[in-house]
């Protein structure tokens, strides 16, 4: 084979390095953060986040330049793509890691996280792995990228070692995810055995040839490979029935990490999934489609129904991310060019609104990592009107309410499904979105129409299953009334006992991050045409 | 050819038995030892496929260095809690796990027996690889592929190693802090 021969003589040139410039800049930033950590005194680790943010910004600029002027060829012997789809995904990943970094200072200190140099470096390296995986055009790079991002996220999940929930999250994620990686690798090995290629484009050419269509059709070897790869990918995007790890890991990990990984991992895994199933293996679409169809339906129904019963908002968001994976799977199942554009739109919309929602949950959370339940959100609007308004925007967007960006994500996915001949998936998607509406709006209702939770007496808060807690109502009503009049949290603290309710505090960076997420959610929702065009352009390149 | 087949089946039996040993021994040290046996038999598989370099590396790195490290850690960290387990609260998972495992193994065996393996393998283009090996020699062909066509995955594996070192620093130091 020609490919086999040139593999022994190929030499990368300067053009190859230019095509992976965004990744190189991010890698450089991560290493600089590690070095700068040595020179930064203990109280000033926020500078490291700033260095990381500069790296993210530089990487985003490089990606923008490549998006506008790049030749869209793949680099390093067809290992990694610099096409518009990859660069679009890079943007979304950089957005999520950037917001994750903005949320971190303040929060990490409140949670008692030390070793911040390694923390910020690992965030950047995890994003690097996501970018590799999202741009990979070779099964090998998909796997190595996946391992880079997973390994960094295992460590980040377990970062608060003094807290058993965080240790449990890291351990659980590590063991289950390694197991799933094993499935994925086995599937890739069998696919390589069946096609003789790890390069996705070469696999596609091989599949399009008559090798499998002659005789008895294609071999069971390939089917086994497909099935095992599907298992691996479905685990990584937390699709039902491989979702069991998601809530525990999302709740146990530091919230700044959860916010980042809930989006970034999905972007990386869905891009890889789309490249493997919708590009390389499109000619056997009829074989894998029923399996992913069933997974998509199960994920939409299961994720939404399980989310309804949650009282912890972080846990609810974890199940909501499972449900959203179901909507994204619709796009992969449909597999047309419209559907891939819709997938990119959905991922970008999901990044803005989901990171924002986790950002608010992170602000409400107490320093021991608890306190993001519905009770803690009750009456939040009186103490923190801006925070509540932001949370409402994110949740309404997640629910798919029209003028916000989440609506467009759902709209284009369902539209692509209907055009692509999967009307039933669109109908199930719409129906389960209605379920979603309930649990998202319940938080909004708690923030605006419920009495604030009774002061920090645990006994009362555990009793107050039915809102509002009767015992708490009179005391906090007076405090709340004052807050409505003056809208000044300091006044609220005055009438209440000192150890009482503490309104959430936010570092300036987190405010900036939330403002950015709100701006994206609203502006892209009102004026979607620009970024929809970009996503459509990007989807063109993925199928080429 | 017959000798080759006998060797294959003996090695296969050893590999499967030792792999089962890894997950069924109660003592962690015994599990380690059977993992070494498993990795050794895999190394022999590579040798039978004339992948001399990979086979040697398998013995040196995996069966040698990595496993010695594992044994050190296991014997150092858990001298008295040698056997893990006790009553398993999730007994029904055993049945389900074994049942699904048999289905998976059956599917894979079907794939092999069906004969498609031989037909697919012909398409792989192993001829090109064999020609390169004949041209340059075993280790040279491996090195050429690694540093030319496959240099990029090789390079980004170093990122993986950086992360692993960071993880060791973060998680290791923290555990020491807790014990003080």
């Amino acid at each position: 084979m020609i490919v086999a021969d040139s593999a022994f003589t190929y030499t990368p040139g300067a053009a190859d390095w230019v095509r992976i410039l965004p990744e190189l800049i991010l890698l450089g930033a991560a290493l600089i953060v590690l070095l700068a950590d040595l020179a930064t005194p203990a109280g000033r680790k926020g500078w490291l986040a700033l260095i990381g943010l500069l790296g993210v910004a530089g990487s985003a600029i490089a990606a923008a330049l490549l998006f506008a002027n790049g030749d869209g060829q793949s680099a390093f012997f067809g290992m990694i793509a610099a096409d518009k789809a990859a660069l679009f995904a890079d943007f979304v990943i950089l957005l999520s890691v950037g917001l994750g970094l903005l949320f971190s200072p303040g929060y990490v200190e409140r949670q008692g996280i030390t070793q911040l140099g390694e923390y910020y470096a690992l965030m950047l390296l995890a994003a690097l792995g996501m970018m590799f995986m999202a741009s990979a055009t070779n099964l090998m790079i998909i796997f190595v990228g996946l391992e880079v991002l997973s390994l960094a996220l295992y460590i980040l999940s377990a970062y608060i070692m003094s807290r058993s929930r965080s240790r449990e999250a890291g351990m659980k994620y590590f063991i289950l995810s390694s197991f799933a990686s094993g499935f994925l690798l086995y599937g890739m090995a069998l696919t390589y055995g069946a096609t003789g290629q790890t390069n996705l484009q070469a696999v596609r050419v091989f599949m399009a040839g008559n090798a499998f269509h002659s005789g008895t059709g294609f071999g069971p070897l390939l089917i086994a490979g497909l099935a095992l790869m599907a298992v691996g990918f479905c685990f990584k995007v937390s699709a039902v029935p491989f979702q069991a790890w998601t809530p525990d890991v999302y709740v146990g990990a530091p919230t700044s990490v959860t916010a980042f990984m809930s989006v970034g991992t999905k972007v990386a895994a869905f891009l890889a999934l789309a490249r493997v199933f919708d590009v390389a293996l499109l000619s056997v679409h009829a074989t894998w489609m029923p399996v992913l169809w069933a997974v998509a339906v199960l994920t939409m129904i299961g994720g939404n129904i399980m989310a309804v019963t949650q009282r912890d908002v972080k846990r609810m968001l974890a199940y909501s991310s499972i449900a959203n994976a179901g909507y994204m799977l619709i796009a992969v199942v449909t597999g047309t060019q419209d559907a891939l554009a819709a997938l990119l739109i959905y991922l970008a919309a999901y990044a803005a609104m989901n990171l924002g929602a986790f950002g608010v949950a992170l602000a409400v959370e107490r320093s021991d990592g608890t306190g993001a339940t519905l009770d803690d959100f009750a009456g939040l609007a009186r103490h923190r009107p801006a925070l509540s308004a932001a949370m409402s925007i994110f949740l309404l967007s997640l629910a798919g309410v029209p003028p916000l960006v989440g609506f467009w994500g759902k709209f284009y996915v369902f539209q692509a499904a209907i055009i692509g001949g999967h009307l039933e998936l669109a109908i199930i998607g719409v129906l389960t979105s209605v379920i979603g509406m309930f649990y998202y709006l319940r938080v909004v209702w708690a923030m605006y129409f419920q009495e604030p939770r009774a002061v920090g007496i645990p006994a009362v808060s555990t009793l107050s299953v039915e809102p509002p807690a009767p015992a708490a109502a009179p005391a906090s009503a007076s405090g709340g009334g004052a807050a409505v009049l003056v809208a000044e949290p300091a006044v609220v603290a005055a009438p209440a006992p000192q150890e009482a309710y503490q309104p959430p505090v936010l570092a300036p960076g987190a405010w900036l991050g939330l403002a950015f997420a709100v701006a994206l959610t609203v502006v892209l929702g009102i004026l979607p045409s620009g970024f929809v065009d970009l996503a459509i352009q990007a989807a063109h390149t993925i199928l080429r | 050819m017959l000798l080759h087949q006998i060797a294959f089946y003996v090695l296969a039996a050893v590999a499967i038995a030792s792999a089962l040993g890894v997950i069924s021994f109660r003592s962690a040290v015994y599990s380690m030892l059977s993992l070494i046996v498993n990795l050794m038999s895999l190394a022999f598989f590579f040798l039978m496929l004339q992948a001399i370099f990979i086979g040697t590396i398998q013995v040196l790195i995996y069966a040698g260095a990595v496993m010695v490290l594992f044994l050190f850690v296991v014997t150092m960290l858990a001298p008295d809690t040698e056997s893990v387990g006790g009553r398993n609260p999730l007994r029904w998972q055993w049945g389900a796990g074994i049942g699904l495992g048999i289905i998976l193994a059956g599917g894979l065996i079907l794939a092999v027996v069906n004969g498609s393996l031989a037909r697919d393998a012909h398409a792989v283009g192993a001829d090109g690889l064999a020609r390169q090996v004949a041209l340059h020699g075993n280790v040279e062909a491996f090195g050429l592929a690694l540093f030319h066509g496959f240099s990029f995955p090789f390079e980004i594996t170093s990122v993986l190693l950086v992360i692993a070192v960071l993880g060791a620093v973060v998680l290791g130091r923290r555990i020491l802090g807790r014990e003080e």
Side-chain angles (χ1 to χ4, degrees), chain B residues 13-143:
Chain B
V14 172
I16 292 173
S18 57
L20 285 176
V22 176
I23 55 169
S24 45
F25 276 123
R26 287 214 167 271
S27 154
V29 177
Y30 287 172
S31 286
M32 288 289 102
L33 291 174
S34 51
L35 185 56
I36 294 181
V37 175
N38 181 258
L39 291 172
M40 284 297 281
S41 49
L42 287 187
F44 282 114
F45 276 127
F46 284 124
L47 289 183
M48 284 174 63
L49 294 168
Q50 277 139 43
I52 298 165
F53 184 71
I54 309 274
T56 317
I57 290 297
Q58 175 88 8
V59 174
L60 280 180
I61 309 265
Y62 285 94
V66 173
M67 293 317 295
V68 168
L69 208 62
F70 271 26
L71 263 180
F72 261 133
V73 172
V74 165
T75 47
M76 262 174 59
L77 287 188
D80 24 88
T81 57
E82 201 174 54
S83 60
V84 287
R87 244 191 98 259
N88 187 351
L90 295 170
R91 233 161 218 298
W92 61 272
Q93 283 189 339
W94 273 85
I98 290 172
L100 292 174
I102 287 173
I103 291 176
L104 180 63
L108 291 174
I109 289 170
L110 181 76
V112 174
V113 173
N114 205 312
S116 71
L117 188 65
R119 195 189 68 208
D120 297 344
H122 185 68
V124 163
D127 310 341
L129 196 62
R131 193 170 63 246
Q132 292 289 337
V133 170
L135 200 65
H136 301 291
N138 204 302
V139 180
E140 287 85 350
F142 178 82

Side-chain angles (χ1 to χ4, degrees), chain A residues 1 4-5 7-12 20 27 31 34 76-77 79-80 113-115 118 121-122 125 128 132 138 140-141 144-145 147-148 151-152 155 158-162 167 183 186 190 192-196 198 206 211-212 214 216-221 224 228, chain B residues 104 107-108 110-112 114-129 131-133 136 140-175 178:
Chain A
M1 281 220 148
D5 275 351
F8 295 90
T9 52
Y10 174 84
T11 310
I20 62 159
L27 176 62
L31 298 180
L34 274 180
F76 293 100
F77 196 56
M79 290 287 171
I80 187 161
I113 295 177
T114 53
Q115 295 180 310
E118 287 86 350
L122 282 170
L125 290 173
L128 180 70
F132 280 140
N138 192 305
M140 236 181 246
I141 305 297
V144 180
E147 285 307 293
V148 168
L151 203 57
I155 302 164
Y159 221 90
I160 314 177
M161 283 292 277
S162 55
R167 287 201 305 271
F183 274 96
Y186 202 168
L190 292 182
Y192 172 65
T195 62
T198 55
F206 181 85
F212 281 128
S214 61
T216 57
F218 45 86
L221 197 59
L228 292 174
Chain B
L104 180 63
L108 291 174
L110 181 76
V112 174
N114 205 312
S116 71
L117 188 65
R119 195 189 68 208
D120 297 344
H122 185 68
V124 163
D127 310 341
L129 196 62
R131 193 170 63 246
Q132 292 289 337
V133 170
H136 301 291
E140 287 85 350
F142 178 82
L144 284 174
L146 186 63
F147 292 114
H148 284 103
F150 295 92
S151 55
F152 189 65
F154 176 71
E155 292 293 341
I156 63 172
T157 311
S158 61
V159 178
L160 198 60
L161 293 180
V162 170
I163 294 174
V165 170
L166 286 180
V169 168
V170 169
L171 301 179
R173 202 199 287 167
R174 193 62 61 86
I175 290 170
R178 215 150 37 100

Side-chain angles (χ1 to χ4, degrees), chain A residues 265-276:
Chain A
T265 315
K266 278 202 171 51
V267 179
F270 268 107
L271 259 285
L273 186 63
R275 281 183 200 275
V276 171

